[in-house]
């Protein structure tokens, strides 16, 4: 990047609309993110299915979930290396083939060791698929709006998954995933094949972006990693932990559905707050609040606590994702860092569920799992807080970016 004489140009500038702003591009990208993140969103139900339908232990569930979401991370890394130079439609075709093959084989092989490695393959395919979608959304002229639309749509897809997946057999769940990938193929030509360089302009003349050190987006990715250690652990085990505490299964199932819709409130509030206060300060508050709502379960799980925790978690999850994703997109227009966001999320979800599985395997119980979740959220807060303090002093335009 080149250095600008006035960093505040970023707050005055806007991007010329391109193919990435068309309704076709936005529609297919939104659909692809919903499908690509389907396993992540449906993990509580899928984890329970692995226990009840395949006989996996709670520790094994953490390993399998970590393998799936770790594969997503690896797939996103692969995509980040190719998304700026390779035809994105070809990348999507390759990823769909990998996902269909891996999920299809999961219907044939049901032993733990084989399923573990097949879920890695399924994760790699979904990681490539998701990274292309996220990079395409990040290429729009208003990435914060695009990511907010994505998370708004997630509220409905999450509720749908929580309602439908428990009704299916294990093979039915795998077939549902396969079907969703196939449905998107006829609209593949809506995905822009190549990135388009956008030109920053202000009201009267061309303006250049302020110089942003490369470690800024890397630091945001590090914060995403720690945040998703918390999210991955919490979301993998929340239903099993509630059932272990004697909470009624039907009550927990209803909470999983209805708390999903609370994400809609998160989207609306996140937009209003971002427009008024920028991205940085609300994110710091959201990370601190998330540490509190997951950490309180380490002191015991009751009907009221699980209700408050799950509603708050879904609200804050939206806050955190909108602000972190938009921050990366604001400092990177090539799509390379944007495509790494699913990688950072997936990497956190390798570490998170595996840490939780190790804690449970050592007999320390769910209280220690949720304590670990809170510490991971605090680590993300520290990383992002350090970056915020530097930006506030050095590049105030990014500190105030919306």
């Amino acid at each position: 990047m080149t250095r600008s004489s006035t960093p505040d140009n970023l707050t005055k500038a806007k991007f010329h609309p391109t193919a990435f702003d068309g309704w076709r591009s936005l529609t297919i990208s939104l659909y692809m993110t919903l499908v690509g993140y389907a396993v992540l969103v449906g993990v509580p139900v899928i984890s329970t299915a692995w226990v009840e339908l395949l006989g996996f232990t709670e520790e094994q569930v953490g390993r399998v979930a970590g393998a799936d979401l770790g594969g997503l991370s690896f797939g996103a890394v692969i995509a980040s290396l190719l998304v700026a130079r390779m035809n994105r439609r070809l990348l999507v075709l390759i990823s769909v083939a990998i996902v269909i093959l891996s999920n299809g084989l999961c219907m044939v092989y049901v032993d733990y060791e084989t399923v573990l490695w097949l879920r890695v393959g399924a994760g790699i395919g979904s990681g490539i698929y998701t990274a292309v979608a996220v990079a395409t959304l990040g290429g729009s002229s208003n990435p914060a709006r695009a990511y907010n639309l994505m998370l708004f749509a997630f509220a409905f897809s999450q509720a749908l998954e929580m309602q439908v997946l428990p009704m299916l057999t294990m093979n039915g769940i795998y077939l549902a995933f396969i079907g969703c990938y196939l449905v998107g193929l006829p609209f593949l030509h809506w995905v822009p094949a190549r990135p388009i360089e956008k030109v920053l302009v202000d009201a009267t003349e061309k303006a250049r972006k302020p110089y942003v050190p490369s470690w800024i987006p890397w630091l945001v990715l590090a914060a995403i990693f720690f945040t998703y250690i918390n999210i991955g652990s919490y979301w993998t085990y929340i239903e099993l932990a509630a059932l272990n505490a004697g909470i009624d299964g039907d009550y927990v199932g209803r909470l999983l559905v209805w708390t999903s819709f609370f994400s809609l409130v998160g989207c609306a509030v996140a937009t209003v707050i971002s427009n008024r206060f920028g991205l940085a300060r609300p994110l710091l508050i959201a990370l601190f609040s998330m540490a509190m709502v997951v950490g309180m379960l380490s002191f015991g799980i009751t009907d009221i606590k699980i209700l408050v925790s799950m509603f708050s978690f879904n609200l804050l999850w939206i806050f955190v994702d909108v602000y972190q994703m938009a921050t990366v997109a604001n400092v990177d227009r090539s799509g390379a860092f944007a495509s790494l966001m699913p990688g950072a999320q997936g990497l956190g979800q390798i570490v998170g569920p595996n840490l939780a599985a190790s804690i449970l395997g050592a007999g320390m119980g769910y209280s220690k799992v949720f304590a670990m979740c809170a510490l991971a959220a605090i680590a993300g807060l520290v990383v992002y807080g350090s970056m915020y303090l530097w930006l506030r002093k050095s590049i105030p335009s990014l500190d105030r970016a919306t």
Side-chain angles (χ1 to χ4, degrees):
M1 298 182 185
T2 57
R3 187 178 295 274
S4 170
S5 59
T6 169
D8 285 336
N9 280 344
L10 184 65
T11 58
K12 303 175 184 176
K14 63 180 180 179
F15 290 102
H16 286 307
T18 70
F20 288 86
D21 293 300
W23 69 267
R24 290 181 176 85
S25 173
L26 287 173
T27 299
I28 190 61
S29 299
L30 288 171
Y31 177 80
M32 287 171 61
T33 55
L34 297 183
V35 173
Y37 280 126
V39 172
L40 184 158
V41 171
V43 153
V45 173
I46 300 168
S47 296
T48 303
W50 281 327
V51 171
E52 295 180 352
L53 302 179
L54 296 186
F56 292 174
T57 67
E58 292 177 342
E59 182 178 358
Q60 288 174 334
V61 162
R63 308 296 184 200
V64 174
D68 202 319
L69 299 169
L72 184 145
S73 175
F74 185 62
V77 171
I78 294 172
S80 73
L81 299 174
L82 302 172
V83 74
R85 64 188 71 170
M86 182 175 173
N87 189 310
R88 295 183 178 187
R89 295 168 187 168
L90 178 57
L91 271 177
V92 172
L93 281 175
I94 293 171
S95 67
V96 170
I98 295 172
V99 169
I100 291 175
L101 177 63
S102 299
N103 278 288
L105 289 175
C106 281
M107 298 168 62
V108 179
Y109 301 98
V110 296
D111 60 287
Y112 166 68
E113 289 79 10
T114 306
V115 170
L116 182 71
W117 289 107
L118 288 175
R119 297 320 301 169
V120 172
I124 290 172
S126 64
I128 297 172
Y129 189 86
T130 307
V132 172
V134 170
T136 303
L137 286 176
S140 71
S141 61
N142 190 339
R145 181 194 63 186
Y147 291 136
N148 217 345
L149 285 172
M150 177 190 78
L151 295 166
F152 184 85
F154 268 140
F156 293 97
S157 69
Q158 182 181 346
L160 182 65
E161 284 192 59
M162 298 305 163
Q163 186 67 40
V164 173
L165 292 186
M167 303 177 185
L168 304 177
T169 63
M170 198 73 247
N171 283 354
I173 292 174
Y174 295 140
L175 281 173
F177 291 150
I178 291 172
C180 287
Y181 281 92
L182 289 175
V183 165
L185 286 181
F187 308 97
L188 182 59
H189 63 284
W190 288 1
V191 177
R194 304 283 179 182
I196 298 175
E197 285 297 324
K198 297 191 176 82
V199 182
L200 277 167
V201 297
D202 60 21
T204 58
E205 60 182 9
K206 292 183 179 180
R208 293 179 297 173
K209 288 178 83 172
Y211 172 76
V212 180
S214 61
W215 59 265
I216 291 291
W218 281 115
L219 208 58
V220 181
L221 291 173
I224 292 173
F225 163 70
F226 285 113
T227 301
Y228 268 81
I229 290 178
N230 160 45
I231 291 172
S233 304
Y234 181 98
W235 204 233
T236 297
Y237 281 108
I238 187 60
E239 183 173 13
L240 292 172
L243 296 176
N244 180 263
I247 308 297
D248 179 69
D250 290 337
Y251 174 71
V252 176
R254 289 194 300 273
L255 282 183
L256 287 170
V257 174
W258 290 109
T259 57
S260 303
F261 286 115
F262 206 57
S263 302
L264 299 176
V265 179
C267 287
V269 174
T271 300
V272 172
I273 291 177
S274 171
N275 289 340
R276 184 175 178 83
F277 299 105
L279 298 169
R281 287 172 291 173
L283 176 55
L284 294 173
I285 295 171
L287 287 171
F288 177 79
S289 301
M290 180 172 274
M292 297 300 102
V293 301
V294 299
M296 74 178 184
L297 297 183
S298 65
F299 299 100
I301 300 176
T302 65
D303 288 5
I304 298 300
K305 279 188 177 181
I306 200 73
L307 173 69
V308 172
S309 181
M310 289 177 66
F311 270 96
S312 301
F313 180 85
N314 274 277
L315 172 68
L316 294 167
W317 189 354
I318 295 299
F319 268 64
V320 169
D321 273 0
V322 167
Y323 296 149
Q324 289 183 329
M325 288 180 164
T327 299
V328 171
N330 276 335
V331 299
D332 167 52
R333 307 306 303 176
S334 70
F337 281 103
S339 64
L340 277 174
M341 287 190 290
Q345 293 167 338
L347 186 59
Q349 294 195 87
I350 300 173
V351 176
N354 275 286
L355 277 176
S358 297
I359 290 170
L360 294 173
M364 289 186 279
Y366 284 107
S367 64
K368 296 297 187 294
V369 169
F370 292 117
M372 180 269 292
C373 290
L375 289 174
I378 290 172
L381 172 65
V382 170
V383 172
Y384 201 89
S386 301
M387 188 193 78
Y388 167 72
L389 292 175
W390 187 89
L391 286 176
R392 187 175 182 181
K393 178 181 179 181
S394 305
I395 314 179
S397 58
L398 280 182
D399 164 41
R400 297 190 298 269
T402 63

